[in-house]
Amino acid sequence: MNRSKSDPLTDALIGEAVLALLKRKAPVSAGSLLAELGAMESRELDAQRRAAFPRIIADLQAVLAEKTHREAPASEQEHREKGEIRLSKAPQQGKDNLH
């Protein structure tokens, strides 16, 4: 979501969803927020508010997908730089292997 283009209705609906989660003492996470927005959409009677939900949900999903994509290592080099060991490769035969 581009916060500079955010409208008051979007802010209000997201706020209502977060408050609903907090009142139920439910975990507040991206997944629970998306689920709550979907549930609110199904109950909403006002046409303008109901029409806003698909856009809000799609925007949040796009932000989450972008964040996931940015945080995912893109290459073997990134794994090495992070000190990660890839277990998917078969061990190479050589002097370090004990038989």
Side-chain angles (χ1 to χ4, degrees):
M1 288 175 66
N2 187 343
R3 292 298 301 156
S4 65
K5 294 182 182 179
S6 182
D7 67 306
L9 180 56
T10 296
D11 293 342
L13 293 174
I14 292 173
E16 288 176 27
V18 170
L19 283 174
L21 293 169
L22 292 172
K23 285 180 182 178
R24 289 196 315 267
K25 297 183 180 180
V28 179
S29 65
S32 64
L33 179 59
L34 286 168
E36 183 62 29
L37 287 166
M40 289 171 59
E41 178 185 13
S42 68
R43 295 187 305 263
E44 185 58 59
L45 300 176
D46 181 89
Q48 182 182 8
R49 288 170 55 100
R50 187 176 178 101
F53 283 104
R55 178 185 43 79
I56 295 167
I57 291 168
D59 286 349
L60 286 173
Q61 288 171 330
V63 167
L64 292 172
E66 182 181 320
K67 182 180 182 221
T68 301
H69 179 71
R70 276 195 324 262
E71 292 176 356
S75 69
E76 183 78 19
Q77 180 62 31
E78 287 183 25
H79 285 289
R80 285 192 295 273
E81 289 171 1
K82 291 181 179 182
E84 297 171 348
I85 299 172
R86 303 251 333 201
L87 299 177
S88 60
K89 286 188 174 180
Q92 296 177 346
Q93 296 294 328
K95 61 183 177 189
D96 294 331
N97 291 351
L98 300 175
H99 295 276

